[in-house]
Amino acid sequence: MESMLNKLKSTVTKVTADMTSAVMGNPVTREFEVGRHIASGGPGMCWRIYNGTKKSTKQEVAVFVFDKKMVEKYQKFDKDQIIESLKRGVQQLTRLRHPRLLTVQHPLEESRDCLAFCTEPVFASLSNVLGQWDNLPSPVPTDIKDYKLYDVETKYGLLQISEGLSFLHSGVKMVHGNLCLENVILNKSGAWKIMGFDFSISSTNPSDAEPKYSCKEWEPNLPPLCLPNPEYLAPEYILSVSCDAASDMYSLGVVMHAVFNEGKPVFQVNKHDIFKSFSRQLDQLSRLSPTMLNKIPEEVREHVKMLLSVTPNVRPDADQMTKIPFFDDVGAVTLAYFDSLFQRDNLQKSQFYKNLPKVLPKLPKRVVVYRILPALTSEFVNPDMVPFVLPNVLLIAEECTKDEYVRLILPDLSPVFKQQEPVQILLIFLQKMDLLLTKTPPEDIKNSVLPMVYRALEAPSIQIQELCLNIIPTFANLIEYPSMKNALIPRIKSACLQTSSLAVRVNSLVCLGKILEYLDKWYVIDEILPFLQQIPSREPAVLMGVLGIYKCTFSHKKLGIPKEHLAAKSLPHLVSLSIDNNLNLNQFNSFMAVIKDMLTRMEAEHKTKLEQLHSMQEQQRSMNINTSQTNQSEETKRSPSPGNQVRGHFLHNEGRGDCPDEANMSLTLEEKQRLAKEQEQAAKLRNQPALAPQSIKPATPSTQAKDLTSCLLNNMTSLGSLSLTSPPRPGLIQGSTISAYPSTTPMGSMASNGYNPTMGFQTGGQGMRPPGPGLYGGMTLTLCSALSNVCGGFISFLT
């Protein structure tokens, strides 16, 4: 990896050093920034081509550089000859101006180390494209290595060269003298341009109808750069030292042969014995074999054969070549029309642009993007033409990658986004909104695309508002939710409330109904449904639009309306709208159908809730009963005495006494939490240990005056109950004590006479059973004690 990086670094350093040393000190560098070495061309491929920019305007250019080190091996005379020849060619090119000739942006500048001049942006020479990579950077640029000419590019390129020759022969009365692959340059957009006028010959009588050209004799001892390329020269140039416009047409024939044969000319010339080679070539041309032209398309093969004729008069001239059927291809005609657009009026342009979408799919993408697209975007400065040009630009954008769209199309579209006139501009953009939202970066969508939609919604033109509202649902899924919620929906609502147009109001409701699925449920319930109640209009179409939104919200799986909202807001609103006198029978039935559906669902949901509540109440009641029974069972097992039973019953009642009235419960979250707490308390109560009986301390006698009559009656009643209900007592065992039964009187409610029934009596002696009383001994003692208390109390009363 490190070795690869070092190799790359050394290559970049070498290229930069070569460029810097070649151009350093040349006056061209004062105005232009010289960039990367991209191609080569010109006579003998001696010109290195760099990309560059003008420092003042940042305009893109190509910088042609000839390094004088290339001719150091020659003698001074030869060096001077070469330099003069190159300078003459550039100077001649600078004087000539035509769309088919390479355009010079800055004239030739000479320094001690190089010659340099600037032209329009260039891709490469035709020679580079066809595989001749002399004087190119190493490694060869990938875009040149992989470049393949399409048929339409070849046809239109040859047509452009023919038109360039026609201009030279007819307009300037000049013979190029060295038309070959290296002197044909492909500019940045792919157009073929002629350069290399080093050996051009002007007419000696330019004012006459028949121009005359004086040709120099071939001098084989001169350096190659001082001579034209012999493989493209007409035979008469060498053999008879004569030339005219037909000599250039022969060169065109060789160029056409080379284009269709991977850059190979018709004959290979021995430059050391040029005369012999041309003599042999003349014989071969006189009986040209069909196999030599088999790679040339059949429809142009005969014309190429005529161009390569030995007889100059047989060769067609440049004007005739531009009109051959081979160049009537729809793609070539389309490209030719674009090149002549500046000559057309708006009506002609509009007709052409209307038919262009039928042609674009037939053309290669590279031709469309780099040849047609720049011509289309240049029309954006003419507002009247924008509605005709814009559909074609967006059609091209569909076939571009996102990177190509951002780099080549979006910069020209951004100013158009802000145009509101003509109306068709907004319509075209809205129809292609899915394309714009898909390929435009988020920042540009926020700054350019969506503001255009918002302007359309707020436009004074009702037509624009209607079109916008109709199209918004088709791309709503591509709009980010915050933008939709905070910017788009409020403008749709505003358009609905503020407009005086029934169509706009209805379309607003329809638009809202179609984009509901992209909104949040609670946003719809809190913002959209209350908005419906604000609409003042009572036209049937508006009412049906309102009904449609309610129905969509109610029936959508993602949305839905809660039963509380149905009961409190939605149903009252719909019922009031349903009896509007403007509705017909079918519309009323539609309202009632929705209302019935809402009622049915509300009934089902609430009934289900009540059933669940009832089930939970029954389950809770069952749990309480089971708890009570379990507690009673455990208390009975522990202590069968009446006191324990009373205590267990008290605890059971205490556990149930705190329960709320369950009939009024609801299934809200708070109530469910309360039920859970109650169940937890009941469970804790079940797990508590049983309460053990405790001894009761005698209470301090009260000093308050007593009602002796009631005390006497109570004691008598107590005496009677003891005598009737007390069971027989078992006999006493020796050494045992006798205790009374525990009293059922609760603590704190002892007899008011001071007698504590829970106190027992012990017998003295040896613990032997007294004879006589038997089973009733204990009852006799109790009776006596009671009578004593009664008597004592009565005496106290009397005293």
Side-chain angles (χ1 to χ4, degrees):
M1 182 66 182
E2 185 177 356
S3 61
M4 292 178 62
L5 291 175
N6 291 335
K7 183 178 180 181
L8 177 62
K9 180 179 179 181
S10 63
T11 302
V12 173
T13 304
K14 181 177 182 299
V15 171
T16 305
D18 291 345
M19 182 273 296
T20 303
S21 61
V23 190
M24 184 181 299
N26 194 288
V28 167
T29 59
R30 298 173 188 168
E31 298 185 30
F32 295 89
E33 192 75 32
V34 182
R36 182 173 54 92
H37 183 191
I38 57 173
S40 62
M45 308 288 284
C46 66
W47 291 97
R48 288 185 178 183
I49 306 174
Y50 297 85
N51 58 15
T53 54
K54 192 170 184 177
K55 294 180 180 180
S56 59
T57 62
K58 302 301 179 183
Q59 178 186 3
E60 188 177 2
V61 297
V63 182
F64 283 69
V65 178
F66 173 76
D67 191 349
K68 293 182 178 180
K69 292 180 180 179
M70 295 180 63
V71 294
E72 285 183 349
K73 60 182 179 180
Y74 297 106
Q75 299 293 328
K76 185 179 184 305
F77 176 79
D78 292 339
K79 288 181 184 180
D80 293 341
Q81 288 284 92
I82 295 173
I83 297 300
E84 287 302 318
S85 176
L86 294 174
K87 291 169 66 175
R88 182 171 57 251
V90 175
Q91 291 167 355
Q92 187 67 272
L93 177 63
T94 303
R95 285 192 293 266
L96 297 171
R97 293 285 179 174
H98 191 267
R100 302 303 178 231
L101 307 183
L102 188 64
T103 303
V104 177
Q105 302 283 6
H106 187 84
L108 182 71
E109 298 280 4
E110 183 177 6
S111 64
R112 184 182 62 181
D113 297 321
C114 70
L115 302 176
F117 66 101
C118 297
T119 69
E120 60 184 298
V122 164
F123 171 68
S125 65
L126 183 59
S127 184
N128 290 154
V129 168
L130 293 175
Q132 297 180 25
W133 298 338
D134 299 340
N135 210 13
L136 281 180
S138 180
V140 177
T142 305
D143 51 354
I144 291 180
K145 186 185 298 185
D146 299 337
Y147 195 91
K148 302 296 180 185
L149 288 170
Y150 293 106
D151 289 342
V152 65
E153 291 179 300
T154 301
K155 289 180 179 180
Y156 188 56
L158 294 174
L159 175 62
Q160 288 175 304
I161 295 176
S162 301
E163 291 175 347
L165 292 178
S166 176
F167 164 72
L168 292 176
H169 298 164
S170 302
V172 187
K173 303 291 178 50
M174 177 185 293
V175 173
H176 186 276
N178 191 25
L179 184 65
C180 54
L181 296 183
E182 53 262 35
N183 283 330
V184 176
I185 302 296
L186 277 64
N187 71 3
K188 194 72 175 289
S189 62
W192 293 17
K193 303 292 187 86
I194 299 174
M195 69 166 291
F197 287 85
D198 307 44
F199 308 102
S200 60
I201 305 171
S202 297
S203 173
T204 56
N205 56 342
S207 59
D208 295 343
E210 290 293 331
K212 296 182 180 179
Y213 303 96
S214 60
C215 180
K216 292 183 179 181
E217 185 176 356
W218 183 267
E219 299 182 23
N221 295 326
L222 288 176
L225 289 179
C226 293
L227 297 170
N229 189 334
E231 293 176 341
Y232 290 83
L233 283 180
E236 65 269 17
Y237 193 100
I238 301 295
L239 299 178
S240 61
V241 194
S242 63
C243 67
D244 56 10
S247 301
D248 278 346
M249 300 311 296
Y250 177 89
S251 300
L252 176 62
V254 180
V255 168
M256 295 178 71
H257 180 277
V259 167
F260 293 109
N261 286 269
E262 301 174 352
K264 299 176 182 177
V266 180
F267 301 106
Q268 298 292 331
V269 175
N270 184 359
K271 298 178 182 180
H272 299 289
D273 193 359
I274 189 117
F275 296 101
K276 186 176 181 180
S277 294
F278 267 85
S279 298
R280 186 169 57 251
Q281 176 179 327
L282 193 63
D283 294 337
Q284 293 176 348
L285 288 174
S286 59
R287 53 180 186 276
L288 195 61
S289 171
T291 57
M292 297 180 63
L293 307 178
N294 58 359
K295 291 186 178 181
I296 299 175
E298 186 175 355
E299 59 266 34
V300 75
R301 190 177 300 165
E302 189 63 28
H303 296 92
V304 174
K305 186 177 181 180
M306 293 172 64
L307 289 173
L308 296 177
S309 173
V310 175
T311 306
N313 294 335
V314 177
R315 303 168 192 159
D317 60 32
D319 288 333
Q320 293 172 338
M321 283 299 298
T322 59
K323 299 174 183 178
I324 63 175
F326 178 69
F327 296 135
D328 288 339
D329 177 81
V330 61
V333 171
T334 301
L335 295 176
Y337 198 93
F338 270 108
D339 287 339
S340 62
L341 272 179
F342 63 94
Q343 303 173 0
R344 317 286 178 176
D345 58 26
N346 283 350
L347 179 60
Q348 293 174 321
K349 291 180 182 180
S350 63
Q351 293 297 329
F352 172 71
Y353 291 139
K354 285 180 181 179
N355 297 322
L356 187 58
K358 302 176 183 178
V359 180
L360 290 178
K362 301 177 182 179
L363 300 177
K365 178 181 175 180
R366 184 177 69 215
V367 175
V368 171
V369 171
Y370 293 100
R371 292 295 307 276
I372 294 179
L373 181 61
L376 291 174
T377 55
S378 65
E379 288 284 355
F380 283 156
V381 297
N382 185 357
D384 294 333
M385 287 291 101
V386 174
F388 302 100
V389 173
L390 189 57
N392 295 294
V393 174
L394 296 179
L395 183 62
I396 296 173
E398 290 180 352
E399 302 301 323
C400 291
T401 63
K402 187 173 182 178
D403 177 70
E404 291 171 338
Y405 168 81
V406 172
R407 181 167 46 90
L408 301 174
I409 300 177
L410 184 59
D412 295 310
L413 280 182
S414 296
V416 186
F417 286 141
K418 301 177 183 178
Q419 297 184 18
Q420 296 189 29
E421 296 293 338
V423 175
Q424 292 84 355
I425 296 177
L426 281 174
L427 171 61
I428 295 168
F429 274 133
L430 292 172
Q431 290 173 338
K432 293 292 185 179
M433 191 58 63
D434 54 342
L435 166 69
L436 298 177
L437 295 177
T438 302
K439 294 192 174 182
T440 306
E443 190 66 24
D444 292 289
I445 291 177
K446 181 179 178 181
N447 296 332
S448 300
V449 179
L450 290 182
M452 178 191 63
V453 178
Y454 304 152
R455 286 194 301 271
L457 287 174
E458 298 170 346
S461 171
I462 293 176
Q463 180 185 7
I464 294 178
Q465 289 183 335
E466 288 185 43
L467 294 173
C468 185
L469 291 169
N470 288 331
I471 295 172
I472 284 175
T474 62
F475 61 82
N477 60 316
L478 301 175
I479 301 177
E480 293 182 352
Y481 183 70
S483 298
M484 180 180 291
K485 182 178 69 172
N486 299 324
L488 183 61
I489 298 295
R491 284 177 169 84
I492 295 176
K493 291 161 61 177
S494 176
C496 180
L497 293 176
Q498 297 178 4
T499 185
S500 59
S501 169
L502 175 62
V504 172
R505 187 173 289 119
V506 173
N507 286 329
S508 299
L509 295 173
V510 173
C511 180
L512 282 177
K514 290 182 179 180
I515 64 178
L516 284 177
E517 59 181 314
Y518 308 115
L519 300 174
D520 178 71
K521 172 181 177 179
W522 294 109
Y523 178 80
V524 174
I525 293 173
D526 296 338
E527 298 292 336
I528 303 299
L529 298 186
F531 155 74
L532 299 179
Q533 300 181 15
Q534 302 173 11
I535 301 176
S537 177
R538 285 295 180 266
E539 290 87 354
V542 176
L543 296 181
M544 295 307 294
V546 171
L547 177 65
I549 293 179
Y550 271 114
K551 184 176 181 180
C552 290
T553 307
F554 173 72
S555 59
H556 198 280
K557 294 180 180 180
K558 174 186 171 184
L559 302 175
I561 305 177
K563 60 185 179 64
E564 292 81 8
H565 195 282
L566 286 175
K569 298 181 180 179
S570 298
L571 282 172
H573 186 215
L574 286 177
V575 170
S576 65
L577 295 181
S578 66
I579 60 175
D580 193 280
N581 293 330
N582 293 325
L583 297 177
N584 58 31
L585 179 60
N586 291 333
Q587 293 167 341
F588 172 76
N589 290 335
S590 299
F591 267 89
M592 296 310 299
V594 175
I595 291 172
K596 289 177 181 179
D597 289 342
M598 289 181 173
L599 286 171
T600 302
R601 181 179 296 183
M602 185 178 68
E603 177 187 0
E605 289 182 0
H606 197 65
K607 185 177 180 180
T608 301
K609 174 182 177 180
L610 294 177
E611 289 175 348
Q612 293 175 353
L613 177 60
H614 179 72
S615 175
M616 293 180 66
Q617 291 173 343
E618 291 297 324
Q619 182 181 3
Q620 182 67 23
R621 189 176 293 111
S622 174
M623 290 173 59
N624 290 338
I625 293 173
N626 292 337
T627 301
S628 176
Q629 292 177 352
T630 303
N631 290 340
Q632 289 180 0
S633 172
E634 292 177 355
E635 291 296 330
T636 303
K637 290 180 180 179
R638 286 197 188 96
S639 175
S641 64
N644 287 343
Q645 293 179 6
V646 171
R647 195 156 36 249
H649 180 69
F650 171 75
L651 291 175
H652 175 65
N653 289 338
E654 185 181 21
R656 294 186 58 187
D658 295 336
C659 293
D661 185 5
E662 295 176 357
N664 296 327
M665 293 176 62
S666 177
L667 286 181
T668 63
L669 178 60
E670 294 79 4
E671 293 169 342
K672 290 183 179 181
Q673 291 175 345
R674 190 175 65 185
L675 274 177
K677 290 180 180 180
E678 291 174 356
Q679 293 174 2
E680 182 180 358
Q681 291 174 359
K684 289 180 179 180
L685 196 60
R686 287 197 301 270
N687 296 331
Q688 285 181 353
L691 296 175
Q694 299 177 357
S695 61
I696 302 174
K697 297 181 181 180
T700 305
S702 175
T703 59
Q704 185 180 357
K706 303 178 180 61
D707 187 355
L708 295 181
T709 304
S710 61
C711 290
L712 180 61
L713 290 175
N714 289 337
N715 288 336
M716 292 299 292
T717 303
S718 175
L719 180 62
S721 65
L722 287 172
S723 62
L724 295 174
T725 61
S726 296
R729 297 187 60 175
L732 296 174
I733 304 174
Q734 183 178 3
S736 67
T737 60
I738 300 173
S739 62
Y741 284 104
S743 172
T744 58
T745 304
M747 291 175 57
S749 60
M750 296 184 296
S752 60
N753 57 7
Y755 172 72
N756 188 351
T758 60
M759 301 287 292
F761 300 92
Q762 294 183 350
T763 59
Q766 301 297 319
M768 299 182 63
R769 177 179 297 181
L775 297 172
Y776 299 99
M779 186 177 68
T780 303
L781 294 173
T782 305
L783 181 60
C784 292
S785 175
L787 287 173
S788 175
N789 289 332
V790 170
C791 293
F794 185 72
I795 293 170
S796 299
F797 173 77
L798 292 177
T799 57

